[in-house]
mmCIF file of all heavy atoms in Angstrom:
data_model
loop_
_atom_site.group_PDB
_atom_site.id
_atom_site.type_symbol
_atom_site.label_atom_id
_atom_site.label_comp_id
_atom_site.label_asym_id
_atom_site.label_seq_id
_atom_site.Cartn_x
_atom_site.Cartn_y
_atom_site.Cartn_z
ATOM 1 N N VAL S 1 -1.132 0.303 12.520
ATOM 2 C CA VAL S 1 -2.117 -0.529 11.576
ATOM 3 C C VAL S 1 -2.124 -1.983 11.960
ATOM 4 O O VAL S 1 -3.008 -2.689 11.344
ATOM 5 C CB VAL S 1 -1.846 -0.196 10.111
ATOM 6 C CG1 VAL S 1 -1.865 1.333 9.796
ATOM 7 C CG2 VAL S 1 -0.652 -0.869 9.550
ATOM 8 N N LYS S 2 -1.207 -2.485 12.700
ATOM 9 C CA LYS S 2 -1.044 -3.815 12.906
ATOM 10 C C LYS S 2 -2.313 -4.426 13.426
ATOM 11 O O LYS S 2 -2.952 -3.850 14.429
ATOM 12 C CB LYS S 2 0.116 -4.162 13.819
ATOM 13 C CG LYS S 2 0.542 -5.547 13.963
ATOM 14 C CD LYS S 2 1.763 -5.644 14.845
ATOM 15 C CE LYS S 2 2.944 -4.963 14.268
ATOM 16 N NZ LYS S 2 4.172 -5.195 15.050
ATOM 17 N N GLY S 3 -2.810 -5.541 12.970
ATOM 18 C CA GLY S 3 -4.067 -6.101 13.386
ATOM 19 C C GLY S 3 -5.297 -5.589 12.620
ATOM 20 O O GLY S 3 -6.330 -6.265 12.826
ATOM 21 N N ARG S 4 -5.210 -4.541 11.947
ATOM 22 C CA ARG S 4 -6.406 -3.953 11.269
ATOM 23 C C ARG S 4 -6.089 -4.041 9.758
ATOM 24 O O ARG S 4 -7.116 -4.104 8.946
ATOM 25 C CB ARG S 4 -6.617 -2.532 11.720
ATOM 26 C CG ARG S 4 -6.815 -2.406 13.068
ATOM 27 C CD ARG S 4 -7.281 -0.911 13.478
ATOM 28 N NE ARG S 4 -6.103 0.024 13.210
ATOM 29 C CZ ARG S 4 -6.265 1.098 12.425
ATOM 30 N NH1 ARG S 4 -7.367 1.237 11.738
ATOM 31 N NH2 ARG S 4 -5.305 1.935 12.145
ATOM 32 N N PHE S 5 -4.894 -3.866 9.234
ATOM 33 C CA PHE S 5 -4.574 -3.793 7.808
ATOM 34 C C PHE S 5 -3.893 -5.113 7.414
ATOM 35 O O PHE S 5 -3.195 -5.638 8.248
ATOM 36 C CB PHE S 5 -3.656 -2.569 7.480
ATOM 37 C CG PHE S 5 -4.279 -1.236 7.595
ATOM 38 C CD1 PHE S 5 -5.509 -0.995 8.216
ATOM 39 C CD2 PHE S 5 -3.591 -0.106 7.091
ATOM 40 C CE1 PHE S 5 -6.039 0.169 8.323
ATOM 41 C CE2 PHE S 5 -4.111 1.102 7.248
ATOM 42 C CZ PHE S 5 -5.403 1.278 7.760
ATOM 43 N N THR S 6 -4.194 -5.459 6.121
ATOM 44 C CA THR S 6 -3.435 -6.704 5.650
ATOM 45 C C THR S 6 -2.978 -6.343 4.210
ATOM 46 O O THR S 6 -3.664 -5.914 3.453
ATOM 47 C CB THR S 6 -4.456 -7.886 5.570
ATOM 48 O OG1 THR S 6 -4.932 -8.110 6.749
ATOM 49 C CG2 THR S 6 -3.723 -9.154 4.948
ATOM 50 N N ILE S 7 -1.593 -6.490 4.076
ATOM 51 C CA ILE S 7 -0.952 -6.319 2.795
ATOM 52 C C ILE S 7 -0.845 -7.698 2.064
ATOM 53 O O ILE S 7 -0.656 -8.749 2.710
ATOM 54 C CB ILE S 7 0.377 -5.672 2.910
ATOM 55 C CG1 ILE S 7 0.994 -5.236 1.531
ATOM 56 C CG2 ILE S 7 1.359 -6.480 3.741
ATOM 57 C CD1 ILE S 7 2.226 -4.383 1.542
ATOM 58 N N SER S 8 -1.046 -7.666 0.760
ATOM 59 C CA SER S 8 -0.910 -8.964 0.054
ATOM 60 C C SER S 8 -0.503 -8.628 -1.397
ATOM 61 O O SER S 8 -0.598 -7.497 -1.872
ATOM 62 C CB SER S 8 -2.243 -9.769 0.066
ATOM 63 O OG SER S 8 -3.267 -8.985 -0.621
ATOM 64 N N ARG S 9 -0.011 -9.643 -2.078
ATOM 65 C CA ARG S 9 0.367 -9.496 -3.495
ATOM 66 C C ARG S 9 -0.254 -10.629 -4.305
ATOM 67 O O ARG S 9 -0.315 -11.794 -3.871
ATOM 68 C CB ARG S 9 1.955 -9.623 -3.693
ATOM 69 C CG ARG S 9 2.561 -8.160 -3.698
ATOM 70 C CD ARG S 9 4.022 -8.372 -3.931
ATOM 71 N NE ARG S 9 4.230 -9.052 -5.310
ATOM 72 C CZ ARG S 9 4.248 -8.409 -6.406
ATOM 73 N NH1 ARG S 9 4.181 -7.052 -6.429
ATOM 74 N NH2 ARG S 9 4.394 -9.016 -7.525
ATOM 75 N N ASP S 10 -0.625 -10.239 -5.507
ATOM 76 C CA ASP S 10 -0.904 -11.280 -6.554
ATOM 77 C C ASP S 10 0.170 -11.194 -7.608
ATOM 78 O O ASP S 10 0.258 -10.316 -8.408
ATOM 79 C CB ASP S 10 -2.282 -10.874 -7.241
ATOM 80 C CG ASP S 10 -2.782 -11.952 -8.312
ATOM 81 O OD1 ASP S 10 -1.961 -12.578 -8.908
ATOM 82 O OD2 ASP S 10 -3.974 -12.100 -8.425
ATOM 83 N N ASN S 11 1.070 -12.156 -7.504
ATOM 84 C CA ASN S 11 2.232 -12.207 -8.340
ATOM 85 C C ASN S 11 1.905 -12.372 -9.822
ATOM 86 O O ASN S 11 2.597 -11.833 -10.652
ATOM 87 C CB ASN S 11 3.223 -13.418 -7.991
ATOM 88 C CG ASN S 11 3.875 -13.026 -6.556
ATOM 89 O OD1 ASN S 11 4.046 -11.938 -6.159
ATOM 90 N ND2 ASN S 11 3.989 -14.172 -5.818
ATOM 91 N N ALA S 12 0.776 -13.086 -10.066
ATOM 92 C CA ALA S 12 0.412 -13.233 -11.572
ATOM 93 C C ALA S 12 0.043 -11.839 -12.083
ATOM 94 O O ALA S 12 0.252 -11.624 -13.366
ATOM 95 C CB ALA S 12 -0.722 -14.167 -11.664
ATOM 96 N N LYS S 13 -0.621 -11.000 -11.344
ATOM 97 C CA LYS S 13 -1.018 -9.739 -11.830
ATOM 98 C C LYS S 13 -0.067 -8.638 -11.518
ATOM 99 O O LYS S 13 -0.309 -7.477 -11.900
ATOM 100 C CB LYS S 13 -2.346 -9.275 -11.197
ATOM 101 C CG LYS S 13 -3.468 -10.303 -11.669
ATOM 102 C CD LYS S 13 -4.842 -9.962 -10.946
ATOM 103 C CE LYS S 13 -5.984 -10.808 -11.360
ATOM 104 N NZ LYS S 13 -7.214 -10.445 -10.740
ATOM 105 N N ASN S 14 1.086 -8.985 -10.752
ATOM 106 C CA ASN S 14 1.924 -8.005 -10.244
ATOM 107 C C ASN S 14 1.243 -6.866 -9.542
ATOM 108 O O ASN S 14 1.562 -5.577 -9.947
ATOM 109 C CB ASN S 14 2.871 -7.562 -11.400
ATOM 110 C CG ASN S 14 4.104 -6.776 -10.836
ATOM 111 O OD1 ASN S 14 4.444 -6.794 -9.619
ATOM 112 N ND2 ASN S 14 4.760 -5.997 -11.695
ATOM 113 N N THR S 15 0.306 -7.212 -8.721
ATOM 114 C CA THR S 15 -0.470 -6.115 -8.085
ATOM 115 C C THR S 15 -0.331 -6.344 -6.545
ATOM 116 O O THR S 15 -0.364 -7.534 -5.946
ATOM 117 C CB THR S 15 -1.954 -6.318 -8.428
ATOM 118 O OG1 THR S 15 -2.069 -6.122 -9.877
ATOM 119 C CG2 THR S 15 -2.812 -5.324 -7.625
ATOM 120 N N VAL S 16 -0.145 -5.268 -5.823
ATOM 121 C CA VAL S 16 -0.152 -5.296 -4.317
ATOM 122 C C VAL S 16 -1.436 -4.638 -3.751
ATOM 123 O O VAL S 16 -2.020 -3.693 -4.353
ATOM 124 C CB VAL S 16 1.007 -4.485 -3.759
ATOM 125 C CG1 VAL S 16 1.059 -3.049 -4.102
ATOM 126 C CG2 VAL S 16 1.254 -4.813 -2.312
ATOM 127 N N TYR S 17 -1.979 -5.202 -2.723
ATOM 128 C CA TYR S 17 -3.186 -4.763 -2.218
ATOM 129 C C TYR S 17 -3.012 -4.339 -0.584
ATOM 130 O O TYR S 17 -2.113 -4.835 -0.056
ATOM 131 C CB TYR S 17 -4.296 -5.856 -2.179
ATOM 132 C CG TYR S 17 -4.558 -6.510 -3.570
ATOM 133 C CD1 TYR S 17 -3.921 -7.646 -3.951
ATOM 134 C CD2 TYR S 17 -5.424 -5.864 -4.463
ATOM 135 C CE1 TYR S 17 -4.117 -8.176 -5.187
ATOM 136 C CE2 TYR S 17 -5.640 -6.306 -5.653
ATOM 137 C CZ TYR S 17 -5.017 -7.470 -6.087
ATOM 138 O OH TYR S 17 -5.289 -8.023 -7.291
ATOM 139 N N LEU S 18 -3.880 -3.490 -0.200
ATOM 140 C CA LEU S 18 -3.949 -3.193 1.142
ATOM 141 C C LEU S 18 -5.365 -3.273 1.697
ATOM 142 O O LEU S 18 -6.167 -2.355 1.237
ATOM 143 C CB LEU S 18 -3.307 -1.801 1.467
ATOM 144 C CG LEU S 18 -3.185 -1.386 2.947
ATOM 145 C CD1 LEU S 18 -2.076 -2.319 3.626
ATOM 146 C CD2 LEU S 18 -2.853 -0.073 3.116
ATOM 147 N N GLN S 19 -5.716 -4.297 2.377
ATOM 148 C CA GLN S 19 -7.059 -4.360 2.948
ATOM 149 C C GLN S 19 -7.072 -3.670 4.271
ATOM 150 O O GLN S 19 -6.274 -4.043 5.125
ATOM 151 C CB GLN S 19 -7.362 -5.936 3.156
ATOM 152 C CG GLN S 19 -8.792 -6.052 3.797
ATOM 153 C CD GLN S 19 -9.922 -5.712 3.075
ATOM 154 O OE1 GLN S 19 -10.006 -5.981 1.835
ATOM 155 N NE2 GLN S 19 -10.940 -4.925 3.613
ATOM 156 N N MET S 20 -7.916 -2.699 4.457
ATOM 157 C CA MET S 20 -7.982 -1.920 5.584
ATOM 158 C C MET S 20 -9.360 -2.064 6.338
ATOM 159 O O MET S 20 -10.346 -1.819 5.755
ATOM 160 C CB MET S 20 -7.848 -0.430 5.200
ATOM 161 C CG MET S 20 -6.469 -0.146 4.457
ATOM 162 S SD MET S 20 -6.225 1.579 4.069
ATOM 163 C CE MET S 20 -7.634 1.896 3.035
ATOM 164 N N ASN S 21 -9.280 -2.593 7.559
ATOM 165 C CA ASN S 21 -10.482 -2.817 8.302
ATOM 166 C C ASN S 21 -10.440 -1.948 9.646
ATOM 167 O O ASN S 21 -9.347 -1.509 9.981
ATOM 168 C CB ASN S 21 -10.612 -4.378 8.717
ATOM 169 C CG ASN S 21 -10.683 -5.291 7.461
ATOM 170 O OD1 ASN S 21 -11.227 -4.848 6.505
ATOM 171 N ND2 ASN S 21 -10.142 -6.399 7.643
ATOM 172 N N SER S 22 -11.554 -1.887 10.212
ATOM 173 C CA SER S 22 -11.770 -1.102 11.454
ATOM 174 C C SER S 22 -11.008 0.222 11.325
ATOM 175 O O SER S 22 -10.264 0.611 12.192
ATOM 176 C CB SER S 22 -11.070 -1.944 12.653
ATOM 177 O OG SER S 22 -11.570 -3.219 12.708
ATOM 178 N N LEU S 23 -11.356 0.834 10.258
ATOM 179 C CA LEU S 23 -10.768 2.222 10.015
ATOM 180 C C LEU S 23 -11.102 3.275 10.995
ATOM 181 O O LEU S 23 -12.158 3.236 11.579
ATOM 182 C CB LEU S 23 -11.165 2.672 8.572
ATOM 183 C CG LEU S 23 -10.406 2.013 7.399
ATOM 184 C CD1 LEU S 23 -11.100 2.090 6.127
ATOM 185 C CD2 LEU S 23 -8.957 2.520 7.384
ATOM 186 N N LYS S 24 -10.168 4.157 11.253
ATOM 187 C CA LYS S 24 -10.224 5.217 12.324
ATOM 188 C C LYS S 24 -10.063 6.529 11.641
ATOM 189 O O LYS S 24 -9.346 6.601 10.521
ATOM 190 C CB LYS S 24 -9.241 5.061 13.374
ATOM 191 C CG LYS S 24 -9.225 3.653 13.994
ATOM 192 C CD LYS S 24 -7.986 3.565 15.102
ATOM 193 C CE LYS S 24 -7.983 2.228 15.728
ATOM 194 N NZ LYS S 24 -6.851 2.164 16.678
ATOM 195 N N PRO S 25 -10.570 7.585 12.211
ATOM 196 C CA PRO S 25 -10.300 8.965 11.627
ATOM 197 C C PRO S 25 -8.765 9.266 11.331
ATOM 198 O O PRO S 25 -8.527 9.910 10.414
ATOM 199 C CB PRO S 25 -11.076 9.838 12.535
ATOM 200 C CG PRO S 25 -12.019 8.997 13.168
ATOM 201 C CD PRO S 25 -11.519 7.649 13.358
ATOM 202 N N GLU S 26 -8.002 8.791 12.318
ATOM 203 C CA GLU S 26 -6.583 8.930 12.154
ATOM 204 C C GLU S 26 -5.847 8.210 10.991
ATOM 205 O O GLU S 26 -4.765 8.386 10.641
ATOM 206 C CB GLU S 26 -5.878 8.678 13.472
ATOM 207 C CG GLU S 26 -6.087 7.408 14.009
ATOM 208 C CD GLU S 26 -7.154 7.402 15.120
ATOM 209 O OE1 GLU S 26 -8.215 8.050 14.970
ATOM 210 O OE2 GLU S 26 -7.018 6.770 16.082
ATOM 211 N N ASP S 27 -6.663 7.382 10.266
ATOM 212 C CA ASP S 27 -6.161 6.680 9.104
ATOM 213 C C ASP S 27 -6.339 7.599 7.899
ATOM 214 O O ASP S 27 -5.867 7.179 6.773
ATOM 215 C CB ASP S 27 -6.816 5.328 8.867
ATOM 216 C CG ASP S 27 -6.598 4.296 9.929
ATOM 217 O OD1 ASP S 27 -5.417 4.268 10.310
ATOM 218 O OD2 ASP S 27 -7.525 3.707 10.392
ATOM 219 N N THR S 28 -7.018 8.644 7.932
ATOM 220 C CA THR S 28 -7.241 9.547 6.836
ATOM 221 C C THR S 28 -5.935 10.070 6.362
ATOM 222 O O THR S 28 -5.076 10.600 7.174
ATOM 223 C CB THR S 28 -8.067 10.799 7.362
ATOM 224 O OG1 THR S 28 -9.380 10.297 7.694
ATOM 225 C CG2 THR S 28 -8.212 11.718 6.137
ATOM 226 N N ALA S 29 -5.640 9.858 5.102
ATOM 227 C CA ALA S 29 -4.346 10.267 4.423
ATOM 228 C C ALA S 29 -4.441 9.960 2.927
ATOM 229 O O ALA S 29 -5.345 9.207 2.532
ATOM 230 C CB ALA S 29 -3.289 9.384 5.038
ATOM 231 N N VAL S 30 -3.486 10.364 2.165
ATOM 232 C CA VAL S 30 -3.214 9.911 0.859
ATOM 233 C C VAL S 30 -2.276 8.683 1.059
ATOM 234 O O VAL S 30 -1.244 8.737 1.663
ATOM 235 C CB VAL S 30 -2.585 11.003 0.009
ATOM 236 C CG1 VAL S 30 -2.288 10.422 -1.401
ATOM 237 C CG2 VAL S 30 -3.506 12.184 -0.057
ATOM 238 N N TYR S 31 -2.732 7.646 0.393
ATOM 239 C CA TYR S 31 -1.972 6.372 0.438
ATOM 240 C C TYR S 31 -1.236 6.163 -0.867
ATOM 241 O O TYR S 31 -1.729 6.250 -1.961
ATOM 242 C CB TYR S 31 -2.988 5.120 0.808
ATOM 243 C CG TYR S 31 -3.329 5.120 2.201
ATOM 244 C CD1 TYR S 31 -4.256 6.017 2.696
ATOM 245 C CD2 TYR S 31 -2.901 4.057 3.035
ATOM 246 C CE1 TYR S 31 -4.562 6.025 3.954
ATOM 247 C CE2 TYR S 31 -3.257 4.039 4.324
ATOM 248 C CZ TYR S 31 -4.164 4.980 4.812
ATOM 249 O OH TYR S 31 -4.517 4.993 6.137
ATOM 250 N N TYR S 32 0.071 5.828 -0.766
ATOM 251 C CA TYR S 32 0.908 5.565 -1.837
ATOM 252 C C TYR S 32 1.539 4.138 -1.833
ATOM 253 O O TYR S 32 1.954 3.696 -0.791
ATOM 254 C CB TYR S 32 2.106 6.460 -1.859
ATOM 255 C CG TYR S 32 1.755 8.016 -1.825
ATOM 256 C CD1 TYR S 32 1.460 8.705 -0.669
ATOM 257 C CD2 TYR S 32 1.734 8.659 -3.054
ATOM 258 C CE1 TYR S 32 1.162 10.029 -0.688
ATOM 259 C CE2 TYR S 32 1.265 10.118 -3.109
ATOM 260 C CZ TYR S 32 1.063 10.749 -1.820
ATOM 261 O OH TYR S 32 0.756 12.056 -1.896
ATOM 262 N N CYS S 33 1.595 3.561 -2.959
ATOM 263 C CA CYS S 33 2.412 2.438 -3.057
ATOM 264 C C CYS S 33 3.915 2.701 -3.608
ATOM 265 O O CYS S 33 4.060 3.770 -4.247
ATOM 266 C CB CYS S 33 1.769 1.195 -3.914
ATOM 267 S SG CYS S 33 1.589 1.745 -5.744
ATOM 268 N N ASN S 34 4.678 1.787 -3.296
ATOM 269 C CA ASN S 34 6.106 2.043 -3.652
ATOM 270 C C ASN S 34 6.775 0.799 -4.121
ATOM 271 O O ASN S 34 6.531 -0.352 -3.712
ATOM 272 C CB ASN S 34 6.778 2.457 -2.362
ATOM 273 C CG ASN S 34 8.271 2.515 -2.489
ATOM 274 O OD1 ASN S 34 9.101 1.686 -2.094
ATOM 275 N ND2 ASN S 34 8.838 3.732 -2.950
ATOM 276 N N ALA S 35 7.723 0.946 -5.100
ATOM 277 C CA ALA S 35 8.539 -0.138 -5.544
ATOM 278 C C ALA S 35 10.024 0.392 -5.643
ATOM 279 O O ALA S 35 10.275 1.492 -5.945
ATOM 280 C CB ALA S 35 8.077 -0.682 -7.006
ATOM 281 N N ILE S 36 10.910 -0.543 -5.306
ATOM 282 C CA ILE S 36 12.270 -0.133 -5.407
ATOM 283 C C ILE S 36 12.901 -1.032 -6.561
ATOM 284 O O ILE S 36 12.759 -2.300 -6.586
ATOM 285 C CB ILE S 36 13.038 -0.445 -4.151
ATOM 286 C CG1 ILE S 36 12.422 0.330 -2.986
ATOM 287 C CG2 ILE S 36 14.523 -0.223 -4.173
ATOM 288 C CD1 ILE S 36 12.849 0.085 -1.551
ATOM 289 N N TYR S 37 13.673 -0.287 -7.475
ATOM 290 C CA TYR S 37 14.302 -1.009 -8.611
ATOM 291 C C TYR S 37 15.721 -0.445 -8.671
ATOM 292 O O TYR S 37 15.935 0.646 -9.071
ATOM 293 C CB TYR S 37 13.526 -0.764 -9.875
ATOM 294 C CG TYR S 37 14.119 -1.538 -11.099
ATOM 295 C CD1 TYR S 37 13.631 -2.799 -11.305
ATOM 296 C CD2 TYR S 37 14.962 -0.919 -11.909
ATOM 297 C CE1 TYR S 37 14.213 -3.480 -12.392
ATOM 298 C CE2 TYR S 37 15.467 -1.607 -13.029
ATOM 299 C CZ TYR S 37 15.027 -2.874 -13.261
ATOM 300 O OH TYR S 37 15.443 -3.554 -14.363
ATOM 301 N N GLY S 38 16.659 -1.300 -8.302
ATOM 302 C CA GLY S 38 18.062 -0.811 -8.238
ATOM 303 C C GLY S 38 18.090 0.303 -7.251
ATOM 304 O O GLY S 38 17.650 0.220 -6.078
ATOM 305 N N PRO S 39 18.706 1.369 -7.613
ATOM 306 C CA PRO S 39 18.852 2.507 -6.760
ATOM 307 C C PRO S 39 17.651 3.542 -6.688
ATOM 308 O O PRO S 39 17.693 4.475 -5.990
ATOM 309 C CB PRO S 39 20.028 3.300 -7.327
ATOM 310 C CG PRO S 39 19.989 3.054 -8.737
ATOM 311 C CD PRO S 39 19.374 1.700 -8.897
ATOM 312 N N ASN S 40 16.601 3.263 -7.430
ATOM 313 C CA ASN S 40 15.522 3.993 -7.610
ATOM 314 C C ASN S 40 14.256 3.650 -6.943
ATOM 315 O O ASN S 40 13.973 2.500 -6.726
ATOM 316 C CB ASN S 40 15.252 4.324 -9.100
ATOM 317 C CG ASN S 40 16.376 4.750 -9.937
ATOM 318 O OD1 ASN S 40 17.098 5.708 -9.517
ATOM 319 N ND2 ASN S 40 16.649 4.194 -11.072
ATOM 320 N N ASP S 41 13.607 4.730 -6.339
ATOM 321 C CA ASP S 41 12.145 4.548 -5.798
ATOM 322 C C ASP S 41 11.186 4.944 -6.797
ATOM 323 O O ASP S 41 11.224 5.953 -7.468
ATOM 324 C CB ASP S 41 12.078 5.297 -4.537
ATOM 325 C CG ASP S 41 12.504 4.645 -3.287
ATOM 326 O OD1 ASP S 41 11.911 3.613 -2.928
ATOM 327 O OD2 ASP S 41 13.425 5.170 -2.682
ATOM 328 N N TYR S 42 10.092 4.108 -6.933
ATOM 329 C CA TYR S 42 8.969 4.493 -7.769
ATOM 330 C C TYR S 42 7.795 4.558 -6.845
ATOM 331 O O TYR S 42 7.451 3.758 -6.069
ATOM 332 C CB TYR S 42 8.778 3.393 -8.831
ATOM 333 C CG TYR S 42 9.910 3.323 -9.820
ATOM 334 C CD1 TYR S 42 11.064 2.700 -9.589
ATOM 335 C CD2 TYR S 42 9.798 4.016 -11.023
ATOM 336 C CE1 TYR S 42 12.096 2.727 -10.479
ATOM 337 C CE2 TYR S 42 10.911 4.139 -11.857
ATOM 338 C CZ TYR S 42 11.961 3.375 -11.632
ATOM 339 O OH TYR S 42 13.017 3.397 -12.519
ATOM 340 N N TRP S 43 6.957 5.662 -7.146
ATOM 341 C CA TRP S 43 5.816 5.998 -6.344
ATOM 342 C C TRP S 43 4.661 6.148 -7.301
ATOM 343 O O TRP S 43 4.717 6.615 -8.466
ATOM 344 C CB TRP S 43 5.941 7.368 -5.639
ATOM 345 C CG TRP S 43 7.107 7.228 -4.579
ATOM 346 C CD1 TRP S 43 8.436 7.632 -4.667
ATOM 347 C CD2 TRP S 43 6.983 6.887 -3.220
ATOM 348 N NE1 TRP S 43 9.137 7.427 -3.594
ATOM 349 C CE2 TRP S 43 8.249 6.915 -2.678
ATOM 350 C CE3 TRP S 43 5.901 6.365 -2.431
ATOM 351 C CZ2 TRP S 43 8.466 6.657 -1.274
ATOM 352 C CZ3 TRP S 43 6.130 6.070 -1.137
ATOM 353 C CH2 TRP S 43 7.453 6.144 -0.609
ATOM 354 N N GLY S 44 3.448 5.952 -6.861
ATOM 355 C CA GLY S 44 2.216 6.190 -7.578
ATOM 356 C C GLY S 44 1.786 7.581 -7.208
ATOM 357 O O GLY S 44 2.463 8.356 -6.435
ATOM 358 N N GLN S 45 0.679 8.032 -7.762
ATOM 359 C CA GLN S 45 0.134 9.448 -7.535
ATOM 360 C C GLN S 45 -0.610 9.418 -6.304
ATOM 361 O O GLN S 45 -0.946 10.582 -5.840
ATOM 362 C CB GLN S 45 -0.776 9.658 -8.767
ATOM 363 C CG GLN S 45 -2.254 9.156 -8.663
ATOM 364 C CD GLN S 45 -2.283 7.702 -8.867
ATOM 365 O OE1 GLN S 45 -1.350 7.082 -9.386
ATOM 366 N NE2 GLN S 45 -3.539 7.180 -8.587
ATOM 367 N N GLY S 46 -0.920 8.303 -5.761
ATOM 368 C CA GLY S 46 -1.644 8.355 -4.424
ATOM 369 C C GLY S 46 -3.074 8.141 -4.522
ATOM 370 O O GLY S 46 -3.675 8.532 -5.614
ATOM 371 N N THR S 47 -3.721 7.643 -3.495
ATOM 372 C CA THR S 47 -5.200 7.589 -3.545
ATOM 373 C C THR S 47 -5.688 8.036 -2.136
ATOM 374 O O THR S 47 -5.122 7.532 -1.115
ATOM 375 C CB THR S 47 -5.698 6.145 -3.919
ATOM 376 O OG1 THR S 47 -7.089 6.216 -3.909
ATOM 377 C CG2 THR S 47 -5.307 5.188 -2.790
#
């Protein structure tokens, strides 16, 4: 994805973004965000 996707954060909103450009059929997937807190991983439901 290098050169096509851009990850960013808005710290005030505690939100992470993924801007995806020049999308290809092989980018088709369920996308999940992740946070690590201590020994635990947290996942969303996916989009």
Side-chain angles (χ1 to χ4, degrees):
V1 307
K2 193 176 299 183
R4 300 187 298 121
F5 291 10
T6 302
I7 188 172
S8 61
R9 267 188 58 87
D10 183 328
N11 291 325
K13 297 180 180 179
N14 193 16
T15 299
V16 67
Y17 303 97
L18 187 68
Q19 175 67 47
M20 305 184 294
N21 299 329
S22 303
L23 283 160
K24 305 175 181 180
E26 51 264 44
D27 294 318
T28 295
V30 178
Y31 283 70
Y32 299 90
C33 66
N34 170 264
I36 299 172
Y37 185 84
N40 300 315
D41 270 298
Y42 292 84
W43 298 91
Q45 81 290 347
T47 185

